[in-house]
Amino acid sequence: MLLIDRYAWANKLRTRHPAEKGCLALFCLTACLLADSAGVPLMIMSVMTLLVLGAGIPLRVYGGLLSVPAIFLVCGVLTIAFSVDPPDAYLVKLFVGSHTIGMTEAGFNQAAQTFWRTLGAVSCLYFLVLTTPVTDIFASLERIPFPSLLLEVMILVYGSIAVLMDSAGKIILSQSSRLGYNSPRSTYRSVIWLVTNLFLYSLRRSAEMHLALSSRGYEEKIRFVQPEKKVTPAGMFIAASSGLFFIYLALQTGVKGL
Amino acid sequence: MHIMEGYLPLNHAVGWTVVSAPFVIHGLRSISKNIRNKPETKMLLGVAGAFAFVLSALKLPSVSGSCSHPTGTGLGAVLFGPTTMSVVGLVVLLFQALLLAHGGLTTLGANTFSMAVVGPFVAYGVYQAGKRTGLSPGVSIFLAAALGNLMTYVTTSFQLALAFPDPVNGFTGSLIKFGTVFAFTQIPLAISEGLLTVIVFGALSRYSFKEMQDLNVLGGGCK
């Protein structure tokens, strides 16, 4: 089972209504995008981290997830910060052949702003995905105007992921036990067989699933029994007001340019 | 190459969502037309989406030294056609954000445009052009998958350069910067994806001719 999925199903905030969690996460995400200094994203990140840890997700797991986009973040921020052949006003410079690569103040500011905004936003996303199972998100999407065909495809995809992951895991295990990933050459061959067989298995499974569901009267919509969850007024109020507070704060600091 | 959550400023995040929306809406319309004639199509799309997601979720031992996983964009575009892929791609990208922490919600629009719109359209166009000019199927599929992958990365660099113009050299300078930085990982990936797709496609048409023909219902190009 996927790590995020596992914690989404088993954490202390699991029983909160998805609207409360979604509202907080999306408002804070907006606040991070509006912010142009470190303050608001850092505040949001601390709140989200506390919530995630409070929900019983180990720090090790949360930290591990934060390192997933780290390569992109580091490459991306450094690329923004440095310019080729900058004019005299630079902070750091390197000589590469006949060119200079240097960091200007404008480049540094833009990179710093992007760095903080991204960190804040990533923590909001992680809070949402680590505390809310995907099926709860589907149930919320059903309430708002959302293309029903798109939602249906999403439900079908989610339903098949676990099965295909399991089959892929078994194929990889048996390939490795036959030294299938021992050399680059055999790795390449094993990957090809894995992809091909998984694809054929998927095709067959889709045909079987269609038969099984049609024989149970499936036409347009798979219906699920959703466990009854109530929006608590207090929870909703706290989520919405703190989200809006951060947006207000981001706009304020944005206007003053702090 | 996914743009991570929060990396794009608000106006760019909204802008790219607006740009991608018509492609997804068009894709949904064409799918629902298909479903009316062939109800099993919906199930096929669901499983195909899960297949693409699982490929990206597997931690395969690296082929080219970097963390490499096939995107399946080229394969999907050739089999299902680009309009269908825009919807499947969007769903896969959403699950990658929700279950793998790859990409993000605010950058979903931008990622959909580069990976689910530009990539598949380029791959499909190249494949069709290759077929018409009489290239061998292997060569056209290699070019389709590799160029589709490559154009995705060029589009991402373009999106990043547009969002973060260089303070000294402007948009062009920034495009060159992002293009160079990500070229190191993306060019080997494009080539290995091309090779992988050729061999997978070959194996598929050898061992499951019937299923491949059935896929034609989706308006894909495999004949």
Side-chain angles (χ1 to χ4, degrees), chain A residues 4 34 69 72 76 79-80 82-84 114 117-118 121 126 129 149 154 157 160 188 192 199-200 202-203 206 209 218 220, chain B residues 2 4-7 10 42-44 46-47 50-51 63 79 94-95 98-99 101 164 166 169 177 192 195-196 199 208:
Chain A
I4 295 183
L34 287 170
F72 183 90
T79 313
I80 295 175
F82 284 88
S83 311
V84 178
T114 309
R117 180 178 67 218
T118 308
Y126 286 179
V129 299
L149 178 62
M154 281 161 58
V157 170
S160 301
Y188 205 75
I192 285 158
F199 190 79
L200 290 180
S202 313
L203 287 186
S206 86
M209 225 161 79
Y218 169 72
E220 294 237 306
Chain B
H2 297 73
M4 68 186 289
E5 180 69 279
Y7 196 75
L10 190 61
K42 192 155 69 177
M43 220 54 72
L44 186 62
V47 178
F51 169 76
V63 177
L79 291 178
L94 181 68
F95 279 115
L98 293 179
L99 297 173
F164 304 102
D166 192 286
N169 304 315
K177 276 196 309 187
S192 58
L195 290 174
L196 190 74
I199 301 175
S208 52

CSV table of all heavy atoms in Angstrom, one decimal, chain A residues 4 34 69 72 76 79-80 82-84 114 117-118 121 126 129 149 154 157 160 188 192 199-200 202-203 206 209 218 220, chain B residues 2 4-7 10 42-44 46-47 50-51 63 79 94-95 98-99 101 164 166 169 177 192 195-196 199 208:
chain,number,residue,atom,x,y,z
A,4,ILE,N,1.4,7.3,1.7
A,4,ILE,CA,0.5,8.4,2.0
A,4,ILE,C,-0.9,7.9,2.2
A,4,ILE,O,-1.6,8.3,3.1
A,4,ILE,CB,0.5,9.4,0.8
A,4,ILE,CG1,1.9,10.1,0.7
A,4,ILE,CG2,-0.6,10.5,1.0
A,4,ILE,CD1,2.0,11.2,-0.3
A,34,LEU,N,-0.1,34.0,-2.4
A,34,LEU,CA,-0.2,35.4,-2.4
A,34,LEU,C,0.9,36.1,-1.6
A,34,LEU,O,1.3,37.2,-1.9
A,34,LEU,CB,-1.5,35.8,-1.7
A,34,LEU,CG,-2.8,35.6,-2.4
A,34,LEU,CD1,-4.0,35.8,-1.5
A,34,LEU,CD2,-2.9,36.5,-3.7
A,69,PRO,N,10.3,16.4,-3.1
A,69,PRO,CA,10.5,17.4,-4.2
A,69,PRO,C,11.8,18.2,-3.9
A,69,PRO,O,12.0,19.2,-4.6
A,69,PRO,CB,9.3,18.3,-4.0
A,69,PRO,CG,8.8,18.2,-2.7
A,69,PRO,CD,9.4,16.9,-2.1
A,72,PHE,N,14.0,19.0,-7.0
A,72,PHE,CA,13.4,20.0,-7.9
A,72,PHE,C,13.5,21.4,-7.3
A,72,PHE,O,13.9,22.4,-7.9
A,72,PHE,CB,11.9,19.7,-8.2
A,72,PHE,CG,11.3,20.6,-9.1
A,72,PHE,CD1,11.3,20.4,-10.5
A,72,PHE,CD2,10.7,21.8,-8.7
A,72,PHE,CE1,10.7,21.3,-11.4
A,72,PHE,CE2,10.1,22.7,-9.5
A,72,PHE,CZ,10.1,22.4,-10.9
A,76,GLY,N,15.6,24.2,-8.9
A,76,GLY,CA,14.7,25.3,-9.4
A,76,GLY,C,15.1,26.7,-8.8
A,76,GLY,O,15.2,27.7,-9.5
A,79,THR,N,18.4,27.9,-10.0
A,79,THR,CA,18.3,28.4,-11.4
A,79,THR,C,17.8,29.8,-11.4
A,79,THR,O,18.2,30.7,-12.2
A,79,THR,CB,17.4,27.5,-12.2
A,79,THR,OG1,17.8,26.2,-12.0
A,79,THR,CG2,17.5,27.8,-13.7
A,80,ILE,N,16.8,30.1,-10.5
A,80,ILE,CA,16.2,31.4,-10.5
A,80,ILE,C,17.2,32.4,-10.0
A,80,ILE,O,17.4,33.5,-10.5
A,80,ILE,CB,15.0,31.4,-9.6
A,80,ILE,CG1,13.9,30.6,-10.2
A,80,ILE,CG2,14.4,32.9,-9.4
A,80,ILE,CD1,12.7,30.5,-9.3
A,82,PHE,N,20.6,32.5,-10.0
A,82,PHE,CA,21.8,32.8,-10.7
A,82,PHE,C,21.5,33.3,-12.1
A,82,PHE,O,20.6,32.8,-12.8
A,82,PHE,CB,22.8,31.6,-10.8
A,82,PHE,CG,23.5,31.4,-9.5
A,82,PHE,CD1,22.9,30.6,-8.5
A,82,PHE,CD2,24.7,32.0,-9.3
A,82,PHE,CE1,23.6,30.5,-7.3
A,82,PHE,CE2,25.4,31.8,-8.1
A,82,PHE,CZ,24.8,31.1,-7.1
A,83,SER,N,22.3,34.3,-12.6
A,83,SER,CA,22.1,34.7,-14.0
A,83,SER,C,23.5,34.6,-14.7
A,83,SER,O,24.5,34.7,-14.1
A,83,SER,CB,21.7,36.2,-14.1
A,83,SER,OG,20.6,36.4,-13.2
A,84,VAL,N,23.4,34.5,-16.0
A,84,VAL,CA,24.6,34.5,-16.8
A,84,VAL,C,25.0,35.9,-17.2
A,84,VAL,O,24.2,36.7,-17.6
A,84,VAL,CB,24.5,33.6,-18.1
A,84,VAL,CG1,25.7,33.6,-18.9
A,84,VAL,CG2,24.1,32.2,-17.7
A,114,THR,N,10.3,32.5,-3.9
A,114,THR,CA,9.8,31.2,-4.4
A,114,THR,C,10.1,30.1,-3.4
A,114,THR,O,9.2,29.2,-3.2
A,114,THR,CB,10.5,30.9,-5.7
A,114,THR,OG1,10.4,32.0,-6.6
A,114,THR,CG2,9.9,29.7,-6.4
A,117,ARG,N,7.5,30.3,-0.5
A,117,ARG,CA,6.2,30.1,-1.0
A,117,ARG,C,6.0,28.6,-1.2
A,117,ARG,O,5.0,28.0,-0.8
A,117,ARG,CB,6.0,30.9,-2.3
A,117,ARG,CG,4.6,30.7,-2.8
A,117,ARG,CD,4.4,31.5,-4.1
A,117,ARG,NE,5.3,31.0,-5.2
A,117,ARG,CZ,5.9,31.8,-6.0
A,117,ARG,NH1,5.8,33.0,-6.0
A,117,ARG,NH2,6.6,31.2,-7.0
A,118,THR,N,7.0,28.0,-1.8
A,118,THR,CA,6.9,26.5,-2.2
A,118,THR,C,6.8,25.7,-0.9
A,118,THR,O,6.0,24.8,-0.8
A,118,THR,CB,8.1,26.1,-3.0
A,118,THR,OG1,8.2,27.0,-4.1
A,118,THR,CG2,7.9,24.8,-3.6
A,121,ALA,N,3.4,26.0,0.7
A,121,ALA,CA,2.4,25.3,-0.1
A,121,ALA,C,2.5,23.8,0.0
A,121,ALA,O,1.5,23.1,0.1
A,121,ALA,CB,2.5,25.8,-1.6
A,126,TYR,N,0.6,18.4,1.9
A,126,TYR,CA,0.9,17.2,2.7
A,126,TYR,C,-0.1,17.1,3.9
A,126,TYR,O,-0.5,16.0,4.2
A,126,TYR,CB,2.3,17.3,3.3
A,126,TYR,CG,3.3,17.0,2.2
A,126,TYR,CD1,4.7,17.0,2.5
A,126,TYR,CD2,2.9,16.7,0.9
A,126,TYR,CE1,5.6,16.7,1.5
A,126,TYR,CE2,3.9,16.4,-0.1
A,126,TYR,CZ,5.2,16.4,0.3
A,126,TYR,OH,6.1,16.2,-0.7
A,129,VAL,N,-3.3,15.6,2.2
A,129,VAL,CA,-3.2,14.2,1.7
A,129,VAL,C,-2.9,13.3,2.8
A,129,VAL,O,-3.3,12.1,2.7
A,129,VAL,CB,-2.2,14.1,0.5
A,129,VAL,CG1,-2.6,14.9,-0.7
A,129,VAL,CG2,-0.8,14.3,0.9
A,149,LEU,N,-18.3,12.6,-15.2
A,149,LEU,CA,-17.5,11.6,-15.9
A,149,LEU,C,-16.1,11.6,-15.4
A,149,LEU,O,-15.5,10.6,-15.2
A,149,LEU,CB,-17.6,11.9,-17.4
A,149,LEU,CG,-16.7,11.0,-18.3
A,149,LEU,CD1,-17.2,9.6,-18.2
A,149,LEU,CD2,-16.7,11.4,-19.8
A,154,MET,N,-11.9,9.0,-12.1
A,154,MET,CA,-11.1,9.1,-11.0
A,154,MET,C,-11.3,7.9,-10.0
A,154,MET,O,-10.4,7.3,-9.5
A,154,MET,CB,-11.2,10.4,-10.2
A,154,MET,CG,-10.5,11.6,-10.9
A,154,MET,SD,-11.1,13.2,-10.4
A,154,MET,CE,-10.9,13.2,-8.7
A,157,VAL,N,-9.9,4.8,-11.5
A,157,VAL,CA,-8.5,4.7,-11.5
A,157,VAL,C,-8.1,4.4,-10.0
A,157,VAL,O,-7.3,3.4,-9.8
A,157,VAL,CB,-7.9,6.1,-11.9
A,157,VAL,CG1,-6.4,6.1,-11.6
A,157,VAL,CG2,-8.1,6.3,-13.3
A,160,SER,N,-8.4,0.8,-9.2
A,160,SER,CA,-7.5,-0.2,-9.9
A,160,SER,C,-6.1,-0.1,-9.4
A,160,SER,O,-5.3,-1.0,-9.6
A,160,SER,CB,-7.5,0.0,-11.4
A,160,SER,OG,-8.8,-0.1,-11.9
A,188,TYR,N,17.1,-3.7,-17.9
A,188,TYR,CA,16.3,-3.1,-19.0
A,188,TYR,C,15.3,-4.2,-19.5
A,188,TYR,O,14.2,-3.9,-19.8
A,188,TYR,CB,17.3,-2.7,-20.1
A,188,TYR,CG,16.8,-1.7,-21.0
A,188,TYR,CD1,16.7,-0.4,-20.5
A,188,TYR,CD2,16.3,-2.0,-22.3
A,188,TYR,CE1,16.2,0.6,-21.3
A,188,TYR,CE2,15.8,-1.0,-23.1
A,188,TYR,CZ,15.7,0.3,-22.6
A,188,TYR,OH,15.2,1.3,-23.4
A,192,ILE,N,11.1,-4.0,-19.3
A,192,ILE,CA,10.3,-4.2,-20.5
A,192,ILE,C,9.2,-5.2,-20.3
A,192,ILE,O,8.0,-5.0,-20.6
A,192,ILE,CB,11.1,-4.5,-21.7
A,192,ILE,CG1,11.9,-3.2,-22.2
A,192,ILE,CG2,10.3,-5.0,-22.9
A,192,ILE,CD1,13.1,-3.5,-23.0
A,199,PHE,N,0.7,-4.2,-18.6
A,199,PHE,CA,-0.3,-3.5,-19.6
A,199,PHE,C,-1.3,-4.6,-20.0
A,199,PHE,O,-2.5,-4.3,-20.0
A,199,PHE,CB,0.4,-3.0,-20.8
A,199,PHE,CG,-0.4,-2.1,-21.6
A,199,PHE,CD1,-0.8,-0.8,-21.3
A,199,PHE,CD2,-1.0,-2.6,-22.8
A,199,PHE,CE1,-1.6,-0.1,-22.0
A,199,PHE,CE2,-1.8,-1.9,-23.6
A,199,PHE,CZ,-2.1,-0.6,-23.2
A,200,LEU,N,-0.8,-5.8,-20.4
A,200,LEU,CA,-1.8,-6.8,-20.8
A,200,LEU,C,-2.7,-7.2,-19.7
A,200,LEU,O,-3.9,-7.4,-19.9
A,200,LEU,CB,-1.0,-8.0,-21.3
A,200,LEU,CG,-0.2,-7.8,-22.6
A,200,LEU,CD1,0.5,-9.1,-23.0
A,200,LEU,CD2,-1.2,-7.4,-23.7
A,202,SER,N,-3.6,-5.3,-17.3
A,202,SER,CA,-4.6,-4.2,-17.1
A,202,SER,C,-5.7,-4.3,-18.1
A,202,SER,O,-6.9,-4.1,-17.8
A,202,SER,CB,-3.9,-2.8,-17.3
A,202,SER,OG,-2.7,-2.8,-16.6
A,203,LEU,N,-5.4,-4.6,-19.4
A,203,LEU,CA,-6.4,-4.7,-20.4
A,203,LEU,C,-7.4,-5.8,-20.0
A,203,LEU,O,-8.6,-5.6,-20.1
A,203,LEU,CB,-5.8,-5.1,-21.8
A,203,LEU,CG,-5.0,-4.0,-22.5
A,203,LEU,CD1,-4.6,-4.5,-23.9
A,203,LEU,CD2,-5.9,-2.7,-22.6
A,206,SER,N,-9.6,-4.8,-17.1
A,206,SER,CA,-10.6,-3.8,-17.4
A,206,SER,C,-11.8,-4.5,-18.1
A,206,SER,O,-13.0,-4.2,-17.8
A,206,SER,CB,-10.1,-2.7,-18.3
A,206,SER,OG,-10.2,-3.1,-19.7
A,209,MET,N,-13.6,-6.4,-15.3
A,209,MET,CA,-14.3,-5.4,-14.4
A,209,MET,C,-15.6,-4.9,-15.0
A,209,MET,O,-16.6,-4.8,-14.3
A,209,MET,CB,-13.4,-4.2,-14.1
A,209,MET,CG,-13.3,-3.8,-12.7
A,209,MET,SD,-11.8,-2.8,-12.4
A,209,MET,CE,-12.3,-1.2,-13.0
A,218,TYR,N,-24.4,-2.0,-13.3
A,218,TYR,CA,-23.7,-0.7,-13.4
A,218,TYR,C,-23.9,0.0,-14.7
A,218,TYR,O,-23.9,-0.6,-15.8
A,218,TYR,CB,-22.2,-1.0,-13.3
A,218,TYR,CG,-21.3,0.2,-13.6
A,218,TYR,CD1,-21.1,1.2,-12.7
A,218,TYR,CD2,-20.5,0.2,-14.8
A,218,TYR,CE1,-20.3,2.3,-13.0
A,218,TYR,CE2,-19.7,1.2,-15.1
A,218,TYR,CZ,-19.6,2.3,-14.2
A,218,TYR,OH,-18.7,3.3,-14.5
A,220,GLU,N,-24.0,4.2,-15.0
A,220,GLU,CA,-23.4,5.5,-15.1
A,220,GLU,C,-22.5,5.8,-13.9
A,220,GLU,O,-21.6,6.6,-13.9
A,220,GLU,CB,-24.5,6.6,-15.2
A,220,GLU,CG,-25.2,6.5,-16.5
A,220,GLU,CD,-25.1,7.8,-17.3
A,220,GLU,OE1,-25.5,8.8,-16.7
A,220,GLU,OE2,-24.7,7.8,-18.4
B,2,HIS,N,7.6,17.1,-13.1
B,2,HIS,CA,6.5,17.8,-12.5
B,2,HIS,C,7.0,19.1,-11.9
B,2,HIS,O,8.0,19.2,-11.2
B,2,HIS,CB,5.9,17.0,-11.4
B,2,HIS,CG,5.4,15.7,-11.8
B,2,HIS,ND1,6.1,14.6,-12.2
B,2,HIS,CD2,4.1,15.3,-11.9
B,2,HIS,CE1,5.4,13.6,-12.6
B,2,HIS,NE2,4.1,14.0,-12.4
B,4,MET,N,6.6,21.5,-8.9
B,4,MET,CA,6.1,21.1,-7.6
B,4,MET,C,5.1,22.1,-7.1
B,4,MET,O,4.9,23.2,-7.6
B,4,MET,CB,7.3,21.0,-6.6
B,4,MET,CG,8.0,22.3,-6.3
B,4,MET,SD,9.4,22.0,-5.2
B,4,MET,CE,8.7,21.6,-3.7
B,5,GLU,N,4.4,21.7,-6.0
B,5,GLU,CA,3.3,22.5,-5.4
B,5,GLU,C,3.9,23.8,-5.0
B,5,GLU,O,4.9,23.9,-4.4
B,5,GLU,CB,2.8,21.7,-4.2
B,5,GLU,CG,1.7,22.5,-3.4
B,5,GLU,CD,0.4,22.5,-4.2
B,5,GLU,OE1,0.3,23.4,-5.1
B,5,GLU,OE2,-0.5,21.7,-3.9
B,6,GLY,N,3.1,24.9,-5.3
B,6,GLY,CA,3.5,26.2,-4.9
B,6,GLY,C,4.6,26.9,-5.6
B,6,GLY,O,4.9,28.1,-5.3
B,7,TYR,N,5.2,26.2,-6.6
B,7,TYR,CA,6.4,26.8,-7.3
B,7,TYR,C,5.9,28.0,-8.2
B,7,TYR,O,6.7,28.9,-8.3
B,7,TYR,CB,7.1,25.7,-8.1
B,7,TYR,CG,8.5,26.1,-8.5
B,7,TYR,CD1,9.5,26.1,-7.6
B,7,TYR,CD2,8.7,26.5,-9.8
B,7,TYR,CE1,10.8,26.5,-7.9
B,7,TYR,CE2,10.0,26.8,-10.2
B,7,TYR,CZ,11.0,26.8,-9.3
B,7,TYR,OH,12.3,27.2,-9.6
B,10,LEU,N,0.6,32.9,-8.2
B,10,LEU,CA,-0.9,32.7,-8.4
B,10,LEU,C,-1.4,32.9,-9.8
B,10,LEU,O,-2.1,32.1,-10.3
B,10,LEU,CB,-1.6,33.6,-7.4
B,10,LEU,CG,-3.1,33.4,-7.2
B,10,LEU,CD1,-3.3,32.0,-6.7
B,10,LEU,CD2,-3.7,34.4,-6.3
B,42,LYS,N,-15.0,3.1,-20.7
B,42,LYS,CA,-14.8,3.8,-19.4
B,42,LYS,C,-13.9,3.0,-18.5
B,42,LYS,O,-13.0,3.5,-17.9
B,42,LYS,CB,-16.1,4.1,-18.7
B,42,LYS,CG,-16.0,5.1,-17.6
B,42,LYS,CD,-17.3,5.8,-17.3
B,42,LYS,CE,-18.4,5.0,-16.8
B,42,LYS,NZ,-19.6,5.7,-16.5
B,43,MET,N,-14.2,1.7,-18.4
B,43,MET,CA,-13.4,0.8,-17.6
B,43,MET,C,-12.0,0.8,-18.0
B,43,MET,O,-11.0,0.8,-17.3
B,43,MET,CB,-14.0,-0.6,-17.6
B,43,MET,CG,-14.1,-1.3,-16.4
B,43,MET,SD,-14.8,-0.4,-15.1
B,43,MET,CE,-16.5,-0.5,-15.6
B,44,LEU,N,-11.8,0.8,-19.4
B,44,LEU,CA,-10.5,0.7,-20.0
B,44,LEU,C,-9.7,2.0,-19.6
B,44,LEU,O,-8.5,1.9,-19.2
B,44,LEU,CB,-10.6,0.6,-21.5
B,44,LEU,CG,-9.4,0.4,-22.3
B,44,LEU,CD1,-8.7,-0.9,-21.9
B,44,LEU,CD2,-9.7,0.5,-23.8
B,46,GLY,N,-10.2,3.8,-17.0
B,46,GLY,CA,-9.8,3.8,-15.5
B,46,GLY,C,-8.6,2.9,-15.3
B,46,GLY,O,-7.7,3.3,-14.6
B,47,VAL,N,-8.6,1.7,-15.9
B,47,VAL,CA,-7.4,0.8,-15.7
B,47,VAL,C,-6.2,1.4,-16.4
B,47,VAL,O,-5.1,1.3,-15.8
B,47,VAL,CB,-7.8,-0.6,-16.2
B,47,VAL,CG1,-6.6,-1.5,-16.1
B,47,VAL,CG2,-8.9,-1.1,-15.5
B,50,ALA,N,-4.7,3.9,-14.1
B,50,ALA,CA,-4.1,3.3,-12.9
B,50,ALA,C,-2.7,2.7,-13.4
B,50,ALA,O,-1.7,2.8,-12.6
B,50,ALA,CB,-5.0,2.1,-12.4
B,51,PHE,N,-2.7,2.1,-14.6
B,51,PHE,CA,-1.5,1.6,-15.1
B,51,PHE,C,-0.4,2.7,-15.2
B,51,PHE,O,0.8,2.5,-14.7
B,51,PHE,CB,-1.7,1.0,-16.5
B,51,PHE,CG,-0.5,0.6,-17.3
B,51,PHE,CD1,0.2,-0.6,-17.0
B,51,PHE,CD2,-0.1,1.4,-18.3
B,51,PHE,CE1,1.3,-0.9,-17.7
B,51,PHE,CE2,1.1,1.0,-19.1
B,51,PHE,CZ,1.8,-0.1,-18.7
B,63,VAL,N,17.8,3.0,-14.7
B,63,VAL,CA,18.3,2.5,-16.0
B,63,VAL,C,19.4,3.5,-16.4
B,63,VAL,O,20.5,3.0,-16.9
B,63,VAL,CB,17.2,2.5,-17.0
B,63,VAL,CG1,17.7,2.1,-18.4
B,63,VAL,CG2,16.1,1.5,-16.5
B,79,LEU,N,-1.8,4.7,-28.5
B,79,LEU,CA,-2.9,3.7,-28.4
B,79,LEU,C,-4.2,4.4,-28.3
B,79,LEU,O,-5.2,3.9,-28.9
B,79,LEU,CB,-2.6,2.9,-27.2
B,79,LEU,CG,-1.5,1.9,-27.2
B,79,LEU,CD1,-1.4,1.2,-25.9
B,79,LEU,CD2,-1.7,0.9,-28.3
B,94,LEU,N,-3.3,14.2,-10.9
B,94,LEU,CA,-4.0,14.5,-9.7
B,94,LEU,C,-3.6,13.4,-8.6
B,94,LEU,O,-3.3,13.7,-7.5
B,94,LEU,CB,-5.5,14.5,-9.9
B,94,LEU,CG,-6.3,14.8,-8.6
B,94,LEU,CD1,-6.0,16.2,-8.2
B,94,LEU,CD2,-7.8,14.6,-8.9
B,95,PHE,N,-3.6,12.1,-9.0
B,95,PHE,CA,-3.3,11.1,-8.1
B,95,PHE,C,-1.8,11.1,-7.7
B,95,PHE,O,-1.4,10.8,-6.6
B,95,PHE,CB,-3.7,9.7,-8.6
B,95,PHE,CG,-5.1,9.4,-8.4
B,95,PHE,CD1,-5.9,9.3,-9.5
B,95,PHE,CD2,-5.6,9.3,-7.2
B,95,PHE,CE1,-7.3,9.0,-9.3
B,95,PHE,CE2,-7.0,9.1,-7.0
B,95,PHE,CZ,-7.8,8.9,-8.1
B,98,LEU,N,-1.8,13.6,-5.0
B,98,LEU,CA,-2.5,13.2,-3.8
B,98,LEU,C,-1.8,12.0,-3.1
B,98,LEU,O,-1.9,11.8,-1.9
B,98,LEU,CB,-4.0,12.8,-4.1
B,98,LEU,CG,-4.9,14.0,-4.5
B,98,LEU,CD1,-6.3,13.5,-4.8
B,98,LEU,CD2,-4.9,15.1,-3.5
B,99,LEU,N,-1.3,11.1,-3.9
B,99,LEU,CA,-0.8,9.8,-3.3
B,99,LEU,C,0.7,9.7,-3.3
B,99,LEU,O,1.3,8.9,-2.6
B,99,LEU,CB,-1.4,8.6,-4.0
B,99,LEU,CG,-2.9,8.4,-4.0
B,99,LEU,CD1,-3.4,7.3,-4.9
B,99,LEU,CD2,-3.3,8.2,-2.5
B,101,ALA,N,2.8,12.7,-3.7
B,101,ALA,CA,3.5,14.0,-3.4
B,101,ALA,C,4.4,14.4,-4.5
B,101,ALA,O,5.4,15.1,-4.3
B,101,ALA,CB,4.2,14.0,-2.1
B,164,PHE,N,9.4,33.0,-14.2
B,164,PHE,CA,10.6,33.6,-13.6
B,164,PHE,C,11.6,34.2,-14.6
B,164,PHE,O,12.6,33.6,-14.8
B,164,PHE,CB,11.3,32.5,-12.7
B,164,PHE,CG,10.4,31.9,-11.7
B,164,PHE,CD1,9.9,30.6,-11.9
B,164,PHE,CD2,10.0,32.6,-10.5
B,164,PHE,CE1,9.0,30.1,-11.0
B,164,PHE,CE2,9.2,32.0,-9.6
B,164,PHE,CZ,8.7,30.7,-9.8
B,166,ASP,N,14.6,36.1,-16.1
B,166,ASP,CA,15.9,36.4,-15.5
B,166,ASP,C,16.0,37.9,-15.3
B,166,ASP,O,15.6,38.7,-16.2
B,166,ASP,CB,17.0,35.9,-16.5
B,166,ASP,CG,18.3,36.0,-15.9
B,166,ASP,OD1,18.9,37.1,-15.7
B,166,ASP,OD2,18.8,34.9,-15.5
B,169,ASN,N,18.9,38.8,-18.1
B,169,ASN,CA,18.7,38.4,-19.5
B,169,ASN,C,17.3,38.2,-19.9
B,169,ASN,O,17.0,37.7,-21.0
B,169,ASN,CB,19.6,37.2,-19.8
B,169,ASN,CG,21.0,37.4,-19.5
B,169,ASN,OD1,21.6,38.4,-19.8
B,169,ASN,ND2,21.6,36.4,-18.8
B,177,LYS,N,18.5,29.0,-19.1
B,177,LYS,CA,18.9,28.5,-17.8
B,177,LYS,C,18.1,27.2,-17.4
B,177,LYS,O,18.7,26.2,-17.1
B,177,LYS,CB,18.6,29.6,-16.7
B,177,LYS,CG,19.7,30.6,-16.6
B,177,LYS,CD,19.5,31.4,-15.3
B,177,LYS,CE,18.2,31.9,-15.0
B,177,LYS,NZ,18.1,32.8,-13.8
B,192,SER,N,15.6,7.0,-23.2
B,192,SER,CA,15.3,5.6,-22.6
B,192,SER,C,13.8,5.4,-22.7
B,192,SER,O,13.4,4.2,-23.0
B,192,SER,CB,15.8,5.5,-21.2
B,192,SER,OG,15.3,6.4,-20.4
B,195,LEU,N,13.2,4.2,-26.3
B,195,LEU,CA,13.6,2.8,-26.6
B,195,LEU,C,12.6,1.8,-25.9
B,195,LEU,O,12.2,0.8,-26.5
B,195,LEU,CB,15.0,2.5,-26.0
B,195,LEU,CG,16.1,3.2,-26.8
B,195,LEU,CD1,17.4,3.1,-26.0
B,195,LEU,CD2,16.2,2.7,-28.2
B,196,LEU,N,12.3,2.1,-24.6
B,196,LEU,CA,11.4,1.3,-23.9
B,196,LEU,C,10.0,1.1,-24.6
B,196,LEU,O,9.5,0.0,-24.7
B,196,LEU,CB,11.2,1.9,-22.5
B,196,LEU,CG,10.4,1.0,-21.5
B,196,LEU,CD1,11.4,-0.1,-21.0
B,196,LEU,CD2,10.0,1.8,-20.3
B,199,ILE,N,10.1,-1.2,-27.6
B,199,ILE,CA,10.1,-2.6,-27.3
B,199,ILE,C,8.8,-3.1,-26.7
B,199,ILE,O,8.3,-4.2,-27.1
B,199,ILE,CB,11.3,-3.0,-26.4
B,199,ILE,CG1,12.6,-2.5,-27.1
B,199,ILE,CG2,11.4,-4.4,-26.1
B,199,ILE,CD1,13.8,-2.6,-26.3
B,208,SER,N,-0.4,-9.7,-28.4
B,208,SER,CA,-1.8,-9.4,-28.1
B,208,SER,C,-2.4,-8.6,-29.2
B,208,SER,O,-2.9,-7.5,-29.0
B,208,SER,CB,-2.0,-8.7,-26.8
B,208,SER,OG,-1.2,-7.6,-26.8
